[in-house]
Amino acid sequence: MVPFLPCEGAYLSVPHPDLVCSDLTKDFDAFRAVDHVSFEVPQGSFFSILGPSGCGKTTLLRMIAGFQSPTSGDLRIKGKSMIGVPPNKRPVSMVFQHLALFPTMNIGDNVGFGLRQRGVAKSEIKKRVEEVLERVGLPGVSQRRIDQISGGQKQRVAIARCMVLEPDVLLLDEPLGALDLKLREHMKVELKSLQAAFNTTFVYITHDQSEALVMSDNIAVMNRGQFEQIGTPHDVYHAPSTAFVAGFVGDANKIDAKVIAVNGAVLTLASEGGSEMKIDAPSGGLSVGQRAQVFLRPEAIELATGGDGVNVSGGVVESVLFNGANSSVTIKDQSGNLLKVALPQTGNFANLRQGDSVFTRWDPKQARCYPASGN
């Protein structure tokens, strides 16, 4: 696998979008939570907004839902502006992190709650509730209490309660955050399957990169109120457009260095410890003398018992952490850089131990380089 690959521009434009946000901004007094964000989401796709806590993703979702009004910009669903439209009049539904199911109601009443609020006839509510429960894999459970079902089943009830209203867009606010690890892994697959089955546009926010990478058709990586990149999971992981995306999405070694030569697309850099490295990848316009940050995926680094050549360095094993199918090995190279390596449990280095001497090597195309902050 090649860890980093070239990608195209960061703005995603799609035909027949269900949701279009244009230059959305949200200010809270002097603080700007969302800063001129624009994006489009096609009908029937799974779009994730990924970013750290406090980056503005929840504020953005709440503007789409109608719980908060933008300071400026426009927001359209199915071509119609939602500015000034109250939440209950928007063709959206929302699944919250803690689900907000009513413990005193049975499953059927929970799912049918929104329909009752809309004044739908009882016979129609019963029919639609049974249909949607069957579609989410919970047939015949409408009379059961909420405390009689598992965490995964509660997730499906929450989605059924939204989907029974037939929204154009379903908003999901970190709905897997309260689940244990094993159930969270299972629900990633479940959510993607349900989205495909309903063919409804999902807009999903999360700080968990694995959720976004597994489920999404496209991901927007958000930082400090702005989108730094929009692309497929493959593009965001293999071809991060900024240093923030490279460091936030997936695991990566970061090496501080200085550019000492530029030969076409090939950069030669020297790390702070003095070792030279070559990178053949988009360089962000770096020139000789500039400080840079080099990002290298752990799976891009190979181990050898010796050798020379480009990007080969001797080192000593600092630690070996068992991690299931792989071990996470930290190696201090001859310049003092600490490199994390993803090591399979089989092969010549399966029995690597702390203090062992090894050589690391990596291909010049398997790293990304960005200007260091303050350049």
Coordinates of all heavy atoms in Angstrom, one line a residue, residues 159-234:
I159 N -32.6 5.6 14.9 CA -32.6 5.8 13.4 C -34.0 5.6 12.8 O -34.5 6.4 12.0 CB -31.6 4.9 12.7 CG1 -30.2 5.4 13.1 CG2 -31.7 5.0 11.2 CD1 -29.1 4.5 12.7
A160 N -34.7 4.6 13.3 CA -36.1 4.3 12.8 C -37.0 5.5 13.1 O -37.8 5.9 12.3 CB -36.6 3.1 13.4
R161 N -36.8 6.1 14.3 CA -37.7 7.2 14.7 C -37.5 8.4 13.8 O -38.4 9.2 13.5 CB -37.3 7.6 16.2 CG -38.2 8.8 16.7 CD -38.0 9.1 18.1 NE -36.6 9.5 18.4 CZ -36.1 9.8 19.6 NH1 -36.9 9.7 20.7 NH2 -34.9 10.3 19.7
C162 N -36.2 8.6 13.3 CA -36.0 9.6 12.3 C -36.5 9.3 10.9 O -37.1 10.1 10.2 CB -34.5 9.9 12.3 SG -33.8 10.7 13.8
M163 N -36.2 8.0 10.5 CA -36.5 7.6 9.1 C -38.0 7.5 8.8 O -38.4 7.6 7.7 CB -35.7 6.4 8.8 CG -34.2 6.5 8.8 SD -33.5 7.9 7.9 CE -34.1 7.5 6.3
V164 N -38.7 7.3 9.9 CA -40.2 7.1 9.7 C -40.8 8.5 9.2 O -41.8 8.5 8.6 CB -40.9 6.7 11.0 CG1 -41.0 7.8 12.0 CG2 -42.2 6.0 10.7
L165 N -40.1 9.6 9.5 CA -40.5 10.9 9.0 C -40.1 11.2 7.6 O -40.4 12.3 7.1 CB -39.9 12.0 9.9 CG -40.4 11.9 11.4 CD1 -39.6 12.9 12.3 CD2 -41.9 12.0 11.6
E166 N -39.4 10.3 7.0 CA -38.9 10.4 5.6 C -38.2 11.7 5.3 O -38.5 12.5 4.4 CB -40.1 10.2 4.6 CG -40.8 8.9 4.8 CD -42.0 8.8 3.9 OE1 -42.5 9.8 3.4 OE2 -42.5 7.6 3.6
P167 N -37.1 12.0 6.1 CA -36.4 13.2 5.9 C -35.5 13.2 4.6 O -35.1 12.1 4.1 CB -35.5 13.3 7.1 CG -35.2 11.8 7.4 CD -36.5 11.1 7.1
D168 N -35.2 14.3 4.0 CA -34.3 14.4 2.9 C -32.9 14.2 3.4 O -32.0 13.7 2.7 CB -34.4 15.8 2.2 CG -35.7 15.9 1.5 OD1 -36.2 14.9 0.9 OD2 -36.3 17.0 1.4
V169 N -32.6 14.7 4.6 CA -31.3 14.6 5.2 C -31.4 14.2 6.6 O -32.2 14.7 7.4 CB -30.5 16.0 5.2 CG1 -29.2 15.9 5.8 CG2 -30.4 16.5 3.7
L170 N -30.6 13.2 7.0 CA -30.5 12.7 8.4 C -29.2 13.2 9.0 O -28.1 12.9 8.4 CB -30.5 11.2 8.5 CG -30.5 10.6 9.9 CD1 -31.7 11.0 10.7 CD2 -30.4 9.1 9.8
L171 N -29.2 13.9 10.1 CA -28.1 14.4 10.8 C -27.7 13.5 12.0 O -28.6 13.2 12.7 CB -28.3 15.9 11.2 CG -28.9 16.8 10.2 CD1 -29.2 18.2 10.8 CD2 -27.9 17.0 9.0
L172 N -26.5 13.2 12.1 CA -26.1 12.3 13.2 C -24.9 13.0 14.0 O -23.9 13.2 13.4 CB -25.6 11.0 12.7 CG -26.7 10.2 11.8 CD1 -26.4 10.3 10.3 CD2 -26.7 8.7 12.2
D173 N -25.2 13.2 15.3 CA -24.3 14.0 16.1 C -23.5 13.0 17.0 O -24.0 12.7 18.1 CB -25.0 15.0 17.0 CG -24.1 15.8 17.8 OD1 -22.9 15.7 17.7 OD2 -24.6 16.7 18.6
E174 N -22.4 12.4 16.5 CA -21.6 11.5 17.3 C -22.4 10.4 17.9 O -22.3 10.2 19.2 CB -20.7 12.2 18.3 CG -19.8 13.3 17.6 CD -18.6 13.6 18.4 OE1 -17.9 12.7 18.8 OE2 -18.3 14.8 18.6
P175 N -23.3 9.7 17.2 CA -24.2 8.7 17.8 C -23.5 7.5 18.4 O -24.2 6.8 19.2 CB -25.1 8.4 16.7 CG -24.3 8.5 15.4 CD -23.4 9.7 15.7
L176 N -22.3 7.2 18.1 CA -21.6 6.0 18.6 C -20.7 6.4 19.8 O -20.1 5.5 20.3 CB -20.8 5.4 17.5 CG -21.5 5.1 16.2 CD1 -20.6 4.3 15.3 CD2 -22.8 4.3 16.4
G177 N -20.7 7.6 20.2 CA -19.7 8.0 21.2 C -19.9 7.4 22.6 O -19.0 7.2 23.3
A178 N -21.2 7.0 22.9 CA -21.4 6.5 24.2 C -21.4 4.9 24.3 O -21.6 4.3 25.3 CB -22.8 6.9 24.7
L179 N -21.0 4.3 23.1 CA -21.0 2.8 23.1 C -19.6 2.3 23.4 O -18.6 3.0 23.3 CB -21.4 2.4 21.7 CG -22.8 2.8 21.1 CD1 -23.0 2.3 19.7 CD2 -23.9 2.4 22.1
D180 N -19.6 1.0 23.9 CA -18.3 0.4 24.1 C -17.6 0.1 22.8 O -18.3 0.1 21.7 CB -18.4 -0.8 25.0 CG -19.3 -1.9 24.4 OD1 -18.9 -2.4 23.3 OD2 -20.3 -2.3 24.9
L181 N -16.3 -0.2 22.8 CA -15.5 -0.3 21.6 C -16.1 -1.4 20.7 O -16.2 -1.2 19.5 CB -14.1 -0.7 22.0 CG -13.1 -0.9 20.8 CD1 -13.0 0.4 20.0 CD2 -11.7 -1.3 21.3
K182 N -16.4 -2.6 21.2 CA -16.8 -3.7 20.3 C -18.2 -3.3 19.7 O -18.3 -3.6 18.4 CB -17.0 -5.0 21.2 CG -17.3 -6.2 20.3 CD -17.2 -7.5 21.1 CE -17.4 -8.7 20.2 NZ -17.4 -10.0 21.0
L183 N -19.1 -2.8 20.4 CA -20.4 -2.4 19.8 C -20.2 -1.2 18.8 O -20.9 -1.2 17.8 CB -21.4 -2.0 20.9 CG -22.8 -1.6 20.5 CD1 -23.4 -2.7 19.6 CD2 -23.7 -1.3 21.7
R184 N -19.3 -0.3 19.1 CA -19.0 0.8 18.2 C -18.5 0.2 16.9 O -18.9 0.7 15.8 CB -18.0 1.7 18.8 CG -18.0 3.1 18.3 CD -17.4 4.1 19.2 NE -16.1 3.9 19.5 CZ -15.6 3.7 20.8 NH1 -16.4 3.8 21.8 NH2 -14.3 3.5 21.0
E185 N -17.6 -0.7 16.9 CA -17.1 -1.3 15.6 C -18.2 -2.0 14.9 O -18.3 -1.8 13.6 CB -16.0 -2.3 16.0 CG -14.7 -1.8 16.5 CD -14.0 -0.8 15.6 OE1 -13.9 -1.2 14.4 OE2 -13.7 0.3 16.0
H186 N -19.1 -2.7 15.5 CA -20.2 -3.3 14.9 C -21.2 -2.3 14.3 O -21.7 -2.5 13.1 CB -21.0 -4.2 15.9 CG -22.2 -4.8 15.3 ND1 -22.2 -5.8 14.4 CD2 -23.6 -4.5 15.6 CE1 -23.5 -6.1 14.1 NE2 -24.3 -5.4 14.8
M187 N -21.4 -1.2 15.0 CA -22.4 -0.2 14.5 C -21.9 0.6 13.3 O -22.7 1.2 12.6 CB -22.8 0.7 15.7 CG -23.7 0.1 16.7 SD -25.2 -0.6 16.0 CE -26.0 0.8 15.2
K188 N -20.6 0.7 13.2 CA -20.1 1.3 11.9 C -20.6 0.7 10.7 O -21.1 1.3 9.8 CB -18.5 1.3 11.9 CG -17.8 2.1 13.0 CD -16.3 1.9 12.9 CE -15.6 2.5 14.0 NZ -14.2 2.2 14.0
V189 N -20.6 -0.7 10.7 CA -21.1 -1.4 9.6 C -22.6 -1.3 9.5 O -23.1 -1.1 8.4 CB -20.6 -2.9 9.7 CG1 -21.1 -3.7 8.5 CG2 -19.1 -3.0 9.8
E190 N -23.2 -1.4 10.6 CA -24.7 -1.3 10.6 C -25.2 0.1 10.0 O -26.1 0.1 9.2 CB -25.2 -1.4 12.1 CG -25.1 -2.8 12.6 CD -26.5 -3.5 12.7 OE1 -27.5 -2.7 12.7 OE2 -26.6 -4.7 12.7
L191 N -24.5 1.2 10.5 CA -25.0 2.5 10.0 C -24.8 2.6 8.5 O -25.7 3.2 7.8 CB -24.2 3.6 10.8 CG -24.7 4.0 12.1 CD1 -23.8 5.1 12.7 CD2 -26.1 4.6 12.0
K192 N -23.7 2.2 8.0 CA -23.4 2.3 6.6 C -24.4 1.4 5.8 O -25.0 1.9 4.8 CB -22.0 1.8 6.2 CG -21.7 1.9 4.8 CD -21.8 3.3 4.3 CE -21.4 3.5 2.8 NZ -21.6 4.8 2.2
S193 N -24.8 0.3 6.3 CA -25.8 -0.6 5.7 C -27.1 0.0 5.7 O -27.9 0.0 4.7 CB -25.8 -2.0 6.3 OG -24.6 -2.6 6.2
L194 N -27.5 0.6 6.8 CA -28.8 1.3 6.9 C -28.9 2.5 6.0 O -29.9 2.7 5.3 CB -29.1 1.7 8.3 CG -29.4 0.6 9.3 CD1 -29.4 1.2 10.8 CD2 -30.7 0.0 9.0
Q195 N -27.8 3.3 5.9 CA -27.8 4.4 5.0 C -28.0 4.0 3.5 O -28.8 4.6 2.8 CB -26.5 5.2 5.1 CG -26.4 6.5 4.3 CD -25.9 6.3 3.0 OE1 -25.0 5.4 2.7 NE2 -26.3 7.1 2.0
A196 N -27.3 2.9 3.2 CA -27.5 2.4 1.8 C -28.9 1.8 1.6 O -29.5 2.0 0.5 CB -26.5 1.3 1.5
A197 N -29.5 1.2 2.6 CA -30.8 0.6 2.4 C -31.9 1.7 2.3 O -32.8 1.5 1.4 CB -31.1 -0.3 3.6
F198 N -31.8 2.8 3.0 CA -32.7 3.9 2.9 C -32.4 4.8 1.7 O -33.3 5.6 1.3 CB -32.8 4.6 4.2 CG -33.6 4.0 5.3 CD1 -32.9 3.3 6.3 CD2 -35.0 4.0 5.3 CE1 -33.6 2.7 7.3 CE2 -35.7 3.4 6.3 CZ -35.0 2.7 7.3
N199 N -31.2 4.8 1.3 CA -30.7 5.7 0.2 C -31.0 7.2 0.6 O -31.5 8.0 -0.2 CB -31.4 5.4 -1.1 CG -30.7 6.1 -2.3 OD1 -29.5 6.3 -2.3 ND2 -31.5 6.5 -3.3
T200 N -30.8 7.5 1.9 CA -31.0 8.8 2.4 C -29.7 9.5 2.6 O -28.7 8.8 3.0 CB -31.8 8.7 3.7 OG1 -33.1 8.2 3.5 CG2 -32.0 10.1 4.3
T201 N -29.6 10.8 2.4 CA -28.4 11.5 2.7 C -28.1 11.6 4.2 O -28.9 12.1 4.9 CB -28.5 12.9 2.1 OG1 -28.8 12.8 0.7 CG2 -27.3 13.7 2.3
F202 N -26.9 11.1 4.6 CA -26.5 11.2 6.0 C -25.4 12.2 6.1 O -24.4 12.2 5.3 CB -25.9 9.8 6.4 CG -26.9 8.8 6.9 CD1 -28.2 8.8 6.4 CD2 -26.6 7.8 7.8 CE1 -29.2 7.8 6.8 CE2 -27.5 6.8 8.2 CZ -28.8 6.9 7.7
V203 N -25.5 13.1 7.1 CA -24.5 14.0 7.4 C -24.1 13.7 8.9 O -24.9 13.8 9.8 CB -24.9 15.5 7.3 CG1 -23.8 16.4 7.8 CG2 -25.3 15.8 5.9
Y204 N -22.9 13.2 9.0 CA -22.4 12.6 10.3 C -21.2 13.4 10.8 O -20.3 13.6 10.1 CB -22.0 11.2 9.9 CG -21.6 10.3 11.1 CD1 -22.5 9.4 11.6 CD2 -20.3 10.3 11.6 CE1 -22.2 8.5 12.6 CE2 -20.0 9.4 12.7 CZ -20.9 8.5 13.2 OH -20.6 7.7 14.2
I205 N -21.3 13.8 12.1 CA -20.1 14.4 12.7 C -19.5 13.5 13.7 O -20.1 12.8 14.5 CB -20.5 15.8 13.3 CG1 -21.3 15.7 14.5 CG2 -21.1 16.7 12.3 CD1 -21.4 17.0 15.3
T206 N -18.1 13.6 13.8 CA -17.4 12.8 14.7 C -16.0 13.3 14.9 O -15.5 14.1 14.0 CB -17.3 11.3 14.1 OG1 -16.6 10.5 15.1 CG2 -16.6 11.3 12.8
H207 N -15.4 13.0 16.0 CA -14.0 13.2 16.2 C -13.1 12.0 16.0 O -11.9 12.0 16.1 CB -13.7 13.8 17.6 CG -14.0 12.8 18.7 ND1 -15.3 12.7 19.2 CD2 -13.2 11.9 19.3 CE1 -15.2 11.8 20.2 NE2 -14.0 11.3 20.2
D208 N -13.9 10.9 15.7 CA -13.2 9.5 15.6 C -12.9 9.3 14.1 O -13.8 9.0 13.3 CB -14.1 8.5 16.2 CG -13.5 7.1 16.2 OD1 -12.7 6.8 15.3 OD2 -13.8 6.3 17.2
Q209 N -11.7 9.3 13.7 CA -11.3 9.1 12.3 C -11.7 7.8 11.8 O -12.0 7.7 10.6 CB -9.8 9.4 12.2 CG -9.0 8.5 13.1 CD -7.5 8.8 13.1 OE1 -6.8 8.4 12.1 NE2 -7.0 9.6 14.0
S210 N -11.6 6.7 12.6 CA -11.9 5.4 12.1 C -13.4 5.3 11.7 O -13.7 4.7 10.7 CB -11.6 4.3 13.2 OG -12.4 4.5 14.3
E211 N -14.3 6.0 12.4 CA -15.7 6.0 12.0 C -15.8 6.7 10.7 O -16.5 6.1 9.8 CB -16.5 6.8 13.1 CG -16.7 6.1 14.4 CD -17.5 7.0 15.4 OE1 -18.1 8.0 15.0 OE2 -17.5 6.6 16.6
A212 N -15.2 7.8 10.5 CA -15.3 8.5 9.2 C -14.7 7.8 8.1 O -15.3 7.7 7.0 CB -14.7 9.9 9.4
L213 N -13.6 7.1 8.3 CA -12.9 6.4 7.2 C -13.7 5.2 6.8 O -13.8 4.9 5.6 CB -11.5 6.0 7.6 CG -10.5 7.1 7.8 CD1 -9.2 6.6 8.5 CD2 -10.2 7.8 6.5
V214 N -14.3 4.5 7.7 CA -15.1 3.3 7.4 C -16.4 3.5 6.7 O -16.7 2.8 5.8 CB -15.3 2.4 8.7 CG1 -16.3 1.3 8.5 CG2 -14.0 1.9 9.2
M215 N -17.1 4.6 7.2 CA -18.5 4.7 6.7 C -18.7 5.7 5.6 O -19.7 5.6 4.8 CB -19.4 5.2 7.9 CG -19.4 4.1 9.0 SD -20.6 4.6 10.3 CE -19.8 6.0 11.1
S216 N -17.8 6.6 5.4 CA -18.1 7.8 4.6 C -17.9 7.6 3.1 O -17.0 6.9 2.7 CB -17.3 9.0 5.0 OG -17.4 9.2 6.4
D217 N -18.7 8.2 2.3 CA -18.4 8.4 0.9 C -17.4 9.6 0.7 O -16.5 9.5 -0.1 CB -19.7 8.7 0.1 CG -20.7 7.5 0.1 OD1 -20.2 6.4 -0.2 OD2 -21.8 7.7 0.4
N218 N -17.7 10.6 1.5 CA -16.7 11.8 1.5 C -16.6 12.3 2.9 O -17.5 12.2 3.7 CB -17.2 12.9 0.5 CG -17.0 12.6 -0.9 OD1 -15.9 12.6 -1.4 ND2 -18.1 12.2 -1.6
I219 N -15.4 12.9 3.2 CA -15.1 13.4 4.5 C -14.7 14.8 4.4 O -13.9 15.2 3.5 CB -14.0 12.6 5.2 CG1 -14.4 11.1 5.3 CG2 -13.6 13.2 6.5 CD1 -13.2 10.2 5.8
A220 N -15.2 15.7 5.2 CA -14.7 17.0 5.4 C -13.9 17.1 6.7 O -14.4 16.8 7.8 CB -15.8 18.1 5.4
V221 N -12.6 17.4 6.6 CA -11.8 17.6 7.9 C -11.8 19.0 8.3 O -11.5 19.9 7.5 CB -10.4 17.1 7.6 CG1 -9.6 17.2 8.9 CG2 -10.3 15.7 7.1
M222 N -12.3 19.2 9.5 CA -12.6 20.6 10.0 C -11.6 20.9 11.1 O -11.2 20.1 12.0 CB -14.0 20.7 10.6 CG -14.5 22.1 10.8 SD -16.3 22.1 11.1 CE -16.6 23.9 11.0
N223 N -11.1 22.2 11.1 CA -10.1 22.7 12.1 C -10.4 24.2 12.3 O -10.4 24.9 11.3 CB -8.7 22.4 11.6 CG -7.7 22.8 12.6 OD1 -7.9 22.7 13.8 ND2 -6.5 23.3 12.1
R224 N -10.6 24.6 13.5 CA -10.7 26.0 13.8 C -11.8 26.7 13.0 O -11.6 27.8 12.4 CB -9.4 26.7 13.7 CG -8.4 26.2 14.7 CD -7.1 26.9 14.6 NE -6.1 26.4 15.6 CZ -4.8 26.9 15.7 NH1 -4.4 27.8 14.9 NH2 -4.0 26.4 16.6
G225 N -12.9 26.0 12.8 CA -14.0 26.6 12.1 C -14.0 26.5 10.6 O -14.9 27.0 9.9
Q226 N -13.0 25.9 10.0 CA -12.9 25.9 8.6 C -12.6 24.4 8.1 O -12.2 23.6 8.9 CB -11.7 26.7 8.1 CG -11.9 28.2 8.4 CD -10.7 29.0 7.8 OE1 -9.5 28.6 7.9 NE2 -11.0 30.2 7.4
F227 N -13.0 24.1 6.9 CA -12.7 22.9 6.2 C -11.3 22.9 5.6 O -11.0 23.8 4.8 CB -13.7 22.5 5.1 CG -15.0 22.1 5.7 CD1 -16.1 21.7 4.8 CD2 -15.3 21.9 7.0 CE1 -17.3 21.3 5.2 CE2 -16.5 21.5 7.5 CZ -17.5 21.2 6.6
E228 N -10.4 22.0 6.1 CA -9.1 22.0 5.5 C -9.0 21.1 4.3 O -8.1 21.3 3.4 CB -8.1 21.5 6.6 CG -8.0 22.4 7.8 CD -6.6 22.7 8.2 OE1 -5.6 22.1 7.7 OE2 -6.4 23.5 9.2
Q229 N -9.9 20.1 4.2 CA -9.9 19.2 3.0 C -11.2 18.5 3.0 O -11.8 18.2 4.0 CB -8.8 18.2 3.1 CG -8.7 17.3 1.9 CD -7.5 16.4 1.9 OE1 -6.6 16.4 2.8 NE2 -7.3 15.5 0.9
I230 N -11.7 18.3 1.7 CA -12.9 17.5 1.5 C -12.5 16.5 0.4 O -12.0 16.8 -0.6 CB -14.1 18.3 1.0 CG1 -14.5 19.5 1.9 CG2 -15.3 17.4 0.8 CD1 -15.6 20.4 1.4
G231 N -12.8 15.2 0.7 CA -12.4 14.2 -0.3 C -12.9 12.8 0.2 O -13.5 12.7 1.3
T232 N -12.6 11.8 -0.6 CA -13.0 10.5 -0.3 C -12.1 10.0 0.9 O -11.0 10.6 1.2 CB -12.7 9.5 -1.4 OG1 -11.3 9.5 -1.7 CG2 -13.5 10.0 -2.7
P233 N -12.5 9.0 1.6 CA -11.6 8.5 2.7 C -10.2 8.2 2.2 O -9.2 8.4 2.9 CB -12.3 7.2 3.2 CG -13.8 7.5 3.0 CD -13.8 8.3 1.6
H234 N -10.1 7.6 1.0 CA -8.8 7.3 0.4 C -8.0 8.5 0.2 O -6.8 8.5 0.5 CB -9.0 6.6 -1.0 CG -7.8 6.1 -1.6 ND1 -7.0 6.9 -2.4 CD2 -7.2 4.9 -1.6 CE1 -6.0 6.3 -2.9 NE2 -6.0 5.0 -2.4

